[in-house]
Amino acid sequence: MAGASDGKAVIALPAYYDAGSAGDYLALMKPRVMSLVIFTAGVGLAMAPGSLHPVLTFAALAMIALGAGGSAAINMWYDADIDSQMRRTKLRPIPAGKISADSALSFGLWMSGIAILSLAVLIDYTSAALLAFTIFFYGVIYTIWLKRRTPQNIVIGGAAGALPPVVGWAAVSSVWTLEPWLYFLIIFIWTPPHFWALALLKEQEYEAVKIPMLPNTHGVTATKVQIMIYSLLLVGASLLPAYFGFAGAVYLTGVAAMNIAFMGLATWLALSGPAIQRPAKWLFAFSIFYLFILFALLPLDRSVMG
């Protein structure tokens, strides 16, 4: 910090600070997370009754992606202090000194606003309102309110990540059935075992920055139990589209195979004793593949089974 001529203190930026490249701003939007958001939203859009012009379909998905990226930038702005202390996140644009926190916040707010307004104008108000709620839930309810206060942050905050297929559905159809909410339920229940597997791998890092993740507050054994419980609930939730007649044999066959693999990994983790690194890493990686395949099976089943 250096003194200015008018007596006010100013912050000296590090020598490696610059305005940020396009790649740095893209990194603020968490593109890997965004890709899963776009995919599940696209499935919701594809499964909804009715259709959109291809240009409007592209626009809807682009605005959902932009909204997801905007909320991710807000998340990085607020979490910059802890990101700088965690090995997994210390190279993100803000802690790495590539983008200032103020620039990240401004970028996140602008992207979120543009996404919501564009979706309202180009598609409809319902999908725009749902997108706005999703951004608010992730950026404020989860990031600012829950994450640093309760080990249930992932459970409650998972609602934000579960809403994209509902937003996609709303972009196409005003006809509401149970179906999009089953997609919501699947992602909502999938989130805890997915993220708690990562939390087991990063337990010491979360402890160092005082983030109350389940392994830190309740221990590794309790976390394994919770992962197993949610894995069993996930198996049940994944079968509901077939149970209610929204999916057929192709979906049911594929999901059965994926559930066997998921439960096998969850059981391996539960029985692993103190050697949790390999099973937790496998479960975390497979859980991403699991959700992708499960949602890919929905439109595939409809195209094959009608």
Side-chain angles (χ1 to χ4, degrees):
M1 187 169 294
S5 58
D6 60 0
K8 294 181 180 179
V10 297
I11 297 175
L13 295 174
Y16 54 85
Y17 177 85
D18 59 33
S21 66
D24 295 328
Y25 280 96
L26 179 62
L28 273 181
M29 301 174 76
K30 297 185 179 180
R32 285 187 295 181
V33 175
M34 188 199 304
S35 64
L36 198 56
V37 168
I38 297 170
F39 182 71
T40 56
V43 171
L45 191 151
M47 299 298 287
S51 61
L52 277 180
H53 188 280
V55 173
L56 291 179
T57 298
F58 175 80
L61 291 175
M63 291 309 104
I64 293 171
L66 205 62
S71 65
I74 295 170
N75 170 270
M76 286 202 191
W77 159 75
Y78 191 78
D79 280 351
D81 59 331
I82 60 175
D83 282 351
S84 64
Q85 302 176 58
M86 297 182 69
R87 183 177 178 183
R88 183 173 67 93
T89 56
K90 67 181 181 180
L91 295 180
R92 285 176 173 176
I94 300 175
K98 297 176 180 178
I99 296 175
S100 71
D102 287 347
S103 294
L105 176 60
S106 177
F107 176 76
L109 292 174
W110 272 104
M111 293 301 99
S112 299
I114 290 170
I116 295 165
L117 182 61
S118 298
L119 202 60
V121 172
L122 296 174
I123 309 299
D124 77 332
Y125 293 126
T126 302
S127 58
L130 282 168
L131 180 61
F133 178 74
T134 303
I135 294 169
F136 174 80
F137 202 97
Y138 183 72
V140 177
I141 302 299
Y142 168 69
T143 300
I144 297 177
W145 184 37
L146 293 172
K147 185 172 181 178
R148 305 188 189 210
R149 287 177 170 83
T150 171
Q152 294 300 310
N153 48 24
I154 288 302
V155 178
I156 304 169
L163 277 169
V166 183
V167 179
W169 181 285
V172 174
S173 179
S174 60
V175 178
W176 287 93
T177 69
L178 181 63
E179 189 172 0
W181 298 108
L182 293 181
Y183 305 157
F184 171 92
L185 181 65
I186 289 168
I187 301 175
F188 184 76
I189 295 176
W190 166 88
T191 303
H194 162 71
F195 208 91
W196 281 334
L198 175 64
L200 285 170
L201 295 170
K202 305 297 179 180
E203 177 189 0
Q204 293 181 352
E205 293 188 42
Y206 282 117
E207 179 66 30
V209 295
K210 307 302 181 186
I211 297 297
M213 297 302 292
L214 198 63
N216 308 102
T217 60
H218 290 71
V220 172
T221 300
T223 304
K224 290 180 181 180
V225 171
Q226 289 296 310
I227 287 176
M228 181 60 72
I229 291 172
Y230 274 93
S231 297
L232 289 168
L233 291 173
L234 179 60
V235 169
S238 70
L239 299 176
L240 291 178
Y243 176 81
F244 284 103
F246 300 128
V250 172
Y251 173 83
L252 195 57
T253 301
V255 165
M258 297 302 291
N259 281 335
I260 290 171
F262 198 101
M263 287 306 305
L265 291 172
T267 303
W268 180 24
L269 176 61
L271 300 177
S272 62
I276 62 170
Q277 291 293 317
R278 286 188 64 201
K281 187 179 296 185
W282 272 88
L283 180 60
F284 174 74
F286 181 79
S287 64
I288 301 172
F289 179 68
Y290 172 94
L291 194 67
F292 176 83
I293 293 298
L294 186 148
F295 272 80
L297 285 168
L298 289 163
L300 176 62
D301 178 272
R302 180 163 295 184
S303 67
V304 172
M305 305 298 294

